[in-house]
Amino acid sequence: MTCPTAGPRRWSEVSVAGKSVKLADVAKAAGVSQGTASNVFSRPNLVRDEVRERVLAAAKALGYGGPDLKGRLLRAGKVNAIGVAAVEPMSYFFDDPWARALMAAIARVCDASGSGIALVSAMNHERLAWNIQSALVDGFILLCVEGGEELVQLTRERQLPFVALALGVQDRSIPAIGIDNVSGGALAARHLTDLGHRKFAVLATEFNADDHVGLVSAADVAGAIYATSRDRVTGYRQALAAVGLGPEDLPVYETRNDKASVEACLARIFAGGEGPTALLAMSDRIALYALDWLKARGLQVPGDVSIVGFDGVPEAQASTPALTTIVQPMAEIARVAVHAILENAVPSERRTLPVTLAVRASTAPPAA
């Protein structure tokens, strides 16, 4: 039902010069109530065709693009969408196997709940505050918060629920969902020692925010700012200690989790001729780069060298040979994280989920 005023005016009689056009202006120009004009944009089925056409014509003539969706959603108090932010370029969500697998798991949970996803990159520091403040979401999932203190602070200032994943720092005030990296490292190394391996090398993810690539000392590991890498080394060492091997028997090479740095470290590891019989890679991405490098140089996996990865991404199972790896519970991480935001049930302390070992074709006993 419409509530006409004194009758529709000609569009030329409506003056909104120098002002932003509002819904009330459109209603006045079309000769209807503001409620009727609102229904045209939000519930058009409630408005007669001729009235709807008159309102839309008035809106077009005045340059009115429609109601402020953001304002309407914020007033409703629920957007039904989740922001996923990372201290990485936007391409990270698509290029990195771990991020890609996790995003796929998050997307499946959001699909099941009818929720949307907004990706936010923290690489552009000048626009970071705007990106966080303007994102039309109910809360944030933060990936790889290592070194992302500003991202955490800005998210807190937004006063929306947030939870961090793959958190590599020790700040207990940050709500986080993660895995037990120490037990994961121990599980990977124990698998290799049970096979009889005693000559190892580690291809590690970053310990610090510098650009260092290559062999690191025990002091470097102990002083790492990224707890994820440090904890995985701790787990490796625990398993090796059980068979009488010390830290000096586990050389650790820091990579930047990219092809160039992984290949540079492998060149150093195998430069002396006889290399290790087993490689412990701190990510499946590193392990897959290592598989390609070894294959190109005629080294057989696992005939000459066994490799264990870490993450459990789909590419690990599809590689040749299929990669033995520590599997993160991606589906459960995604489920817990998404529900924490949508149900405003962010954990008050860190929640740690267990990992499992997937034994595949990239590991075998060392050659006699």
Side-chain angles (χ1 to χ4, degrees):
M1 179 177 179
T2 63
C3 300
T5 60
R9 301 182 183 182
R10 297 191 303 274
W11 315 137
S12 59
E13 295 175 348
V14 180
S15 175
V16 291
K19 299 180 180 179
S20 60
V21 181
K22 299 180 180 179
L23 184 63
D25 300 318
V26 175
K28 184 176 181 180
V32 300
S33 71
Q34 188 167 331
T36 296
S38 176
N39 283 340
V40 169
F41 293 98
S42 59
R43 294 181 293 178
N45 57 303
L46 299 181
V47 185
R48 296 198 312 270
D49 290 346
E50 64 272 19
V51 175
R52 184 169 64 250
E53 290 172 4
R54 193 165 77 237
V55 171
L56 292 175
K60 182 177 181 181
L62 296 174
Y64 179 71
D68 180 3
L69 178 61
K70 180 177 179 180
R72 184 168 58 182
L73 290 171
L74 292 177
R75 285 192 297 272
K78 194 72 173 177
V79 178
N80 204 31
I82 292 173
V84 182
V87 191
E88 300 286 350
M90 192 68 74
S91 59
Y92 169 76
F93 295 106
F94 308 97
D95 295 340
D96 183 85
W98 175 82
R100 192 164 56 236
L102 187 57
M103 284 302 305
I106 291 172
R108 285 190 287 270
V109 179
C110 287
D111 280 342
S113 62
S115 305
I117 300 174
L119 302 183
V120 179
S121 171
M123 281 299 291
N124 188 329
H125 291 280
E126 294 180 357
R127 292 190 57 84
L128 176 55
W130 167 255
N131 291 343
I132 295 296
Q133 288 296 327
S134 65
L136 199 58
V137 296
D138 294 311
F140 291 92
I141 295 174
L142 309 181
L143 302 189
C144 296
V145 182
E146 299 171 334
E149 292 81 4
E150 183 182 7
L151 177 59
V152 171
Q153 180 60 33
L154 289 170
T155 305
R156 281 176 164 155
E157 291 174 0
R158 179 74 190 271
Q159 296 184 340
L160 289 177
F162 76 94
V163 63
L165 307 184
L167 185 65
V169 295
Q170 297 297 325
D171 186 347
R172 293 285 168 179
S173 70
I174 301 175
I177 301 166
I179 60 168
D180 188 339
N181 285 295
V182 175
S183 66
L187 196 58
R190 190 179 306 117
H191 168 65
L192 292 169
T193 58
D194 287 348
L195 289 173
H197 291 277
R198 296 296 184 268
K199 296 179 63 178
F200 296 88
V202 174
L203 291 169
T205 48
E206 298 95 327
F207 291 100
N208 291 292
D210 56 22
D211 294 325
H212 178 264
V213 172
L215 189 65
V216 296
S217 66
D220 293 328
V221 174
I225 64 171
Y226 298 154
T228 298
S229 301
R230 184 176 67 245
D231 288 349
R232 291 180 187 179
V233 170
T234 298
Y236 297 154
R237 288 174 174 171
Q238 288 179 356
L240 267 60
V243 295
L245 298 177
E248 68 279 1
D249 299 306
L250 186 69
V252 178
Y253 290 81
E254 182 180 20
T255 78
R256 312 315 295 175
N257 202 31
D258 60 16
K259 183 177 181 180
S261 62
V262 170
E263 291 184 345
C265 288
L266 285 167
R268 298 176 194 179
I269 290 170
F270 289 93
E274 184 178 357
T277 64
L279 291 171
L280 288 157
M282 281 196 194
S283 76
D284 286 346
R285 187 180 195 179
I286 291 173
L288 294 172
Y289 287 141
L291 281 177
D292 290 342
W293 188 91
L294 292 165
K295 185 185 302 183
R297 283 149 187 80
L299 292 170
Q300 301 297 311
V301 177
D304 298 313
V305 187
S306 287
I307 304 179
V308 179
F310 204 116
D311 285 334
V313 302
E315 292 86 348
Q317 190 168 7
S319 65
T320 303
L323 182 66
T324 295
T325 188
I326 300 300
V327 179
Q328 297 196 40
M330 302 281 193
E332 180 64 6
I333 291 172
R335 185 192 69 80
V336 172
V338 171
H339 287 179
I341 302 303
L342 294 182
E343 298 170 12
N344 198 13
V346 173
S348 57
E349 58 184 22
R350 293 191 183 192
R351 179 168 178 181
T352 302
L353 302 177
V355 295
T356 57
L357 173 69
V359 179
R360 300 187 182 123
S362 69
T363 52

